[in-house]
Amino acid sequence: MSKTLTGSLVVCAAGAVAFVGALIVDPAPDRPAPAAAPAAPAQAPVTSAPAGGYGGGDTGGGAAPAAPAAPAQVQIADFTIASVAVAPGAQIQVINSDVAPHTFTANGGTFDSGTLDPGASATLTAPAAPGTYNVFCTIHPSMTATLTVG
């Protein structure tokens, strides 16, 4: 019994794989094998990558853009605000894990999360100027912490 397999495989620069052609299996040994299907026109090679490359491996398209950093997190729980250190301009996610509403407010009003109900969160941008910023809850002023930017 003779079997004829024909086909071609095209791999594009983006890493996707496509099968082009036909798979022909001839289970009858007494029949001549059918003629091979005509080859598909060759696909033009990719000569440039989109801005930032394709990502996901070395495809020759350049380096993949860096994923944005996850925001730093500040937990508010048990009537306490956690202190945190971040880079200038970093994103800060303030999460109220307490049973009462709270704020994350800088002395002098440089930044303010607004009132966060229990289970709510807000994302703020840290100041661009390095330094230590004192923060408090405007609803419960005895709740204090520091935000260190540097």
Side-chain angles (χ1 to χ4, degrees):
M1 172 191 231
S2 71
K3 294 185 182 181
T4 305
L5 300 176
T6 62
S8 61
L9 179 68
V10 176
V11 179
C12 75
V17 177
F19 178 76
V20 179
L23 174 64
I24 301 170
V25 177
D26 184 8
D30 56 340
R31 270 194 283 156
Q43 183 177 8
V46 175
T47 57
S48 64
Y54 291 106
D58 184 10
T59 61
Q73 290 189 346
V74 173
Q75 291 287 334
I76 300 176
D78 299 322
F79 287 84
T80 303
I81 303 172
S83 293
V84 66
V86 297
Q91 295 293 298
I92 305 166
Q93 183 180 28
V94 182
I95 304 166
N96 184 1
S97 300
D98 215 336
V99 296
H102 296 293
T103 70
F104 184 79
T105 307
N107 288 352
T110 308
F111 51 87
D112 184 358
S113 67
T115 300
L116 299 174
D117 289 326
S121 66
T123 301
L124 307 171
T125 301
T132 300
Y133 296 82
N134 293 314
V135 296
F136 69 105
C137 173
T138 59
I139 301 167
H140 308 98
S142 63
M143 294 173 57
T144 62
T146 57
L147 171 65
T148 304
V149 177

